[in-house]
Amino acid sequence: MKKLKTRENNMKIATFNIQNIFHRDRSYLVNPYDKCNNEWLIEIDGLMGKPIKTNGDKDRLRELTFFIGIDNSLQLPYAVLRRKAGFLFLKGMNYSKELQAGELTDWNGWIALQNYPLDPRAVENKARVIAEVNPDILILQEIEDRASLTEFNEVFLPKFNCKPFHYTFVVQGNDKRGQEIGLLTRSDIEILSVRSHSYDYKITKEPIFNKDLLEYEIRSVKGNIIYVLATHLQEQTEDKEISDNIREGQTKRIAEVYKQLYAQGKKYIAIVGTLNAVSYCYSLSPLLIKTNLKDITKHQSFQVDVDKGVDAEYHSLGAYRMGVNIKQKDYLLLSPELFNKVQSSGLNRKGIWPEKQPIWSYFPSINQKNQAASEHPVIWGNFEI
């Protein structure tokens, strides 16, 4: 009888764009308002600025504040934080129900905050999906800072029977909106070195990476050295050509770093993270076509719960594979030698809220989109190394 391999003989690596842990920069809100809300806010500003308000103006203000969901604030002095797209609703100390502009301390209005808090259930679902995968090495994209990561690791993961990671490591990148890359490892895995490429520059003296490319040198339990290149590339904007060109420049630099490591005899290399484009996009060709890197989703062991119903037999353009009809943005790319060490692999999307339901299995604790762990799946590989 063939002896089953134990977890101690293998090492699981996972990558996950967690889309922040506790707070998210409000610039990342997608369509935070209904289509009429911008017009309503402009109308409110106009009415609030009138020195004399008619009864009709006051009635309209009450109507508008009901429409945008700020009329039920508690009747307390000072300021009340409303969970409404990252805004702070201020009330004067002599607050009354009359909505009028006057002295500064009596002014009722909005002040934009840089961040907005995530739903507590979303935070728990982030921990829940990580606990289910339970990797030995976890690379996270889009975390606020090390303090947030440490609290999440020590307080939230244990709630779901996931032992906290022994090491947490965060390097400040070029993006100042809480878009850092974090590394978490178990106690028997040694981080030998970390190198940031945030200071790699173009000819124009601008940084190549608007976030970062981090180069980790890690020793496995067996004593093998693995090189993990973790990154988060240019996201798609309204000007697709500019976005693709920036991303192509980033992938060219990553390919250079990879080839240099490989030429030095460092054969166990993984490139992980959110590349923000589907595999056929020319911006990823420096990695996917012009190197010997292999995508773990193409490994014969790759497993994932497929879509339900007729979508199980459908393969949409840019999807991970047939029956997994979400556009691929996240990758776990491996050198041939590391690819050959894969024992099992997969994708976990139980923390993603389906736009159309039901499409795939997700956690029962997710009842609406803002409770989802992320819009990204967790991709993982189990290696005998």
Side-chain angles (χ1 to χ4, degrees), residues 347-369:
L347 177 151
N348 189 313
R349 54 175 172 167
K350 290 183 180 179
I352 302 177
W353 172 257
E355 292 294 338
K356 299 177 182 178
Q357 301 187 44
I359 297 182
W360 58 76
S361 298
Y362 55 94
F363 294 131
S365 54
I366 303 175
N367 297 304
Q368 55 192 40
K369 187 174 182 179

Side-chain angles (χ1 to χ4, degrees), residues 171-347:
V171 175
Q172 175 75 50
N174 289 325
D175 194 300
K176 308 304 179 186
R177 297 173 294 172
Q179 299 286 285
E180 313 307 339
I181 297 172
L183 173 69
L184 303 93
T185 66
R186 299 299 180 189
S187 59
D188 50 3
I189 296 173
E190 187 178 0
I191 303 172
L192 300 178
S193 67
V194 180
R195 179 184 177 187
S196 171
H197 288 267
S198 60
Y199 293 106
D200 288 4
Y201 289 106
K202 307 175 188 176
I203 298 176
T204 58
K205 304 300 181 182
E206 297 174 306
I208 294 174
F209 298 101
N210 47 359
K211 294 181 176 67
D212 206 348
L213 168 66
L214 289 169
E215 188 178 330
Y216 304 110
E217 183 182 6
I218 299 171
R219 194 198 317 271
S220 72
V221 178
K222 290 186 174 182
N224 293 302
I225 307 300
I226 302 97
Y227 295 86
V228 177
L229 303 180
T231 193
H232 185 183
L233 301 187
Q234 170 67 40
E235 61 268 16
Q236 201 66 266
T237 63
E238 292 182 0
D239 195 322
K240 185 178 184 300
E241 184 176 355
I242 292 178
S243 300
D244 287 347
N245 288 338
I246 293 173
R247 194 181 309 108
E248 184 182 22
Q250 294 171 339
T251 55
K252 284 181 178 178
R253 178 58 185 142
I254 297 172
E256 289 174 359
V257 174
Y258 169 74
K259 290 176 181 178
Q260 289 169 1
L261 290 171
Y262 197 81
Q264 294 168 5
K266 301 168 182 177
K267 303 303 183 183
Y268 296 143
I269 308 171
I271 296 176
V272 308
T274 301
L275 305 189
N276 271 321
V278 293
S279 59
Y280 59 80
C281 181
Y282 76 85
S283 66
L284 301 189
S285 62
L287 286 176
L288 302 184
I289 296 178
K290 299 179 181 179
T291 69
N292 60 3
L293 287 163
K294 297 186 176 184
D295 189 340
I296 200 169
T297 64
K298 305 301 188 292
H299 195 274
Q300 62 181 3
S301 71
F302 194 77
Q303 55 187 282
V304 59
D305 290 335
V306 297
D307 296 341
K308 297 180 179 180
V310 295
D311 285 341
E313 304 298 324
Y314 184 67
H315 194 169
S316 64
L317 188 64
Y320 281 90
R321 59 169 51 189
M322 186 176 72
V324 189
N325 292 296
I326 53 176
K327 283 192 175 182
Q328 186 171 9
K329 293 183 179 181
D330 302 281
Y331 293 79
L332 179 48
L333 306 176
L334 307 171
S335 61
E337 290 80 0
L338 192 55
F339 190 84
N340 291 335
K341 293 291 184 179
V342 175
Q343 298 299 301
S344 58
S345 58
L347 177 151

Side-chain angles (χ1 to χ4, degrees), residues 15 41 60 88 117 159 169 188 232 261 329 338:
T15 179
L41 289 170
R60 178 58 175 165
L88 181 67
K159 291 182 178 181
F169 197 92
D188 50 3
H232 185 183
L261 290 171
K329 293 183 179 181
L338 192 55

Side-chain angles (χ1 to χ4, degrees), residues 18-25 29 81-86 115-128 144 152 156 159-160 351 353 364-374:
I18 200 169
Q19 290 193 307
N20 292 119
I21 299 173
F22 301 115
H23 296 86
R24 188 159 177 80
D25 192 287
L29 280 171
L81 180 63
R82 294 281 295 164
R83 193 182 297 276
K84 187 71 176 178
N115 299 317
Y116 67 97
L118 299 180
D119 191 299
R121 287 161 292 189
V123 179
E124 291 188 345
N125 286 321
K126 295 172 192 289
R128 184 176 276 110
E144 296 92 304
F152 179 76
F156 284 85
K159 291 182 178 181
F160 302 96
W353 172 257
S365 54
I366 303 175
N367 297 304
Q368 55 192 40
K369 187 174 182 179
N370 69 332
Q371 297 172 359
S374 173

Side-chain angles (χ1 to χ4, degrees), residues 7 11 32 37 105-106 148 151 164 241 261 287 313 366:
R7 172 66 179 268
M11 180 177 68
N37 271 7
T105 53
D106 294 328
S148 299
E151 181 180 352
E241 184 176 355
L261 290 171
L287 286 176
E313 304 298 324
I366 303 175

Side-chain angles (χ1 to χ4, degrees), residues 124-157:
E124 291 188 345
N125 286 321
K126 295 172 192 289
R128 184 176 276 110
V129 70
I130 291 172
E132 186 162 295
V133 175
N134 193 23
D136 300 295
I137 298 174
L138 175 62
I139 301 97
L140 295 178
Q141 294 82 46
E142 298 192 19
I143 60 173
E144 296 92 304
D145 46 44
R146 186 173 182 179
S148 299
L149 183 60
T150 299
E151 181 180 352
F152 179 76
N153 179 52
E154 296 177 354
V155 177
F156 284 85
L157 289 181

